[in-house]
Amino acid sequence: MSYLYGGINQQQTINPQNVAMAEQELEIVTDTFQRIVDSCFKKCIPTQYLEGELNKGESVCIDRCATKFFK
């Protein structure tokens, strides 16, 4: 029961081209996110975990690393 976009009685047509473009965009965003996670994890997190949570240095490193992807 969604009243969004003109109510529940209005017919909506789905354009297959728009669906394909949305799927492709989702793939690109997911790939980019995964590359950010992999790269920053390798750079900032030691292979031997000493604590259950990130320490300040690791947090700062991850912030800076992720920021570089968006500049």
Side-chain angles (χ1 to χ4, degrees):
M1 285 201 274
S2 174
Y3 295 101
L4 226 48
Y5 305 114
I8 59 174
N9 293 328
Q10 186 179 27
Q11 288 287 335
Q12 293 182 350
T13 58
I14 298 174
N15 183 344
Q17 186 177 9
N18 288 346
V19 171
M21 287 179 7
E23 288 174 344
Q24 184 179 18
E25 185 175 346
L26 180 60
E27 257 183 62
I28 292 168
V29 169
T30 303
D31 178 61
T32 301
F33 176 77
Q34 192 60 48
R35 286 189 293 121
I36 292 170
V37 169
D38 289 342
S39 177
C40 294
F41 185 84
K42 287 176 187 172
K43 290 179 185 176
C44 300
I45 309 300
T47 55
Q48 295 277 328
Y49 298 125
L50 302 176
E51 301 172 18
E53 296 184 15
L54 296 176
N55 63 37
K56 181 146 179 113
E58 293 165 342
S59 294
V60 170
C61 179
I62 289 174
D63 286 341
R64 289 180 181 162
C65 179
T67 300
K68 289 178 184 177
F69 277 88
F70 296 104
K71 284 188 176 184

